[in-house]
Amino acid sequence: MGEIVNLNRFRKDRARAEAKATAATNRATHGRTKGEKTKADKERTRAEQLLDGSKLED
């Protein structure tokens, strides 16, 4: 016979793991200083402009 598993515990463990994953992503996005946010925005816009400038016309 297999091992007896408490399904409520399994469900709660899975929910805890998902909450931990979303918390990690939220910490990465919202846990930055204003300087870091502006730097990332400037890098993103620079990359977009570089990509748009490199496009070939049809």
Side-chain angles (χ1 to χ4, degrees):
M1 294 273 281
E3 183 179 335
I4 297 174
V5 178
N6 186 346
L7 296 179
N8 288 329
R9 181 177 292 172
F10 178 75
R11 184 174 52 237
K12 288 180 182 180
D13 288 342
R14 184 178 60 202
R16 239 181 252 121
E18 290 174 1
K20 189 180 280 191
T22 56
T25 57
N26 285 339
R27 277 194 304 271
T29 56
H30 300 292
R32 299 182 293 168
T33 63
K34 186 174 182 177
E36 291 173 335
K37 290 177 187 177
T38 56
K39 182 180 177 185
D41 287 339
K42 286 180 182 181
E43 289 176 356
R44 184 175 38 82
T45 56
R46 182 180 174 274
E48 287 175 359
Q49 290 174 352
L50 181 66
L51 183 65
D52 288 341
S54 299
K55 284 185 178 178
L56 297 177
E57 297 295 325
D58 288 337

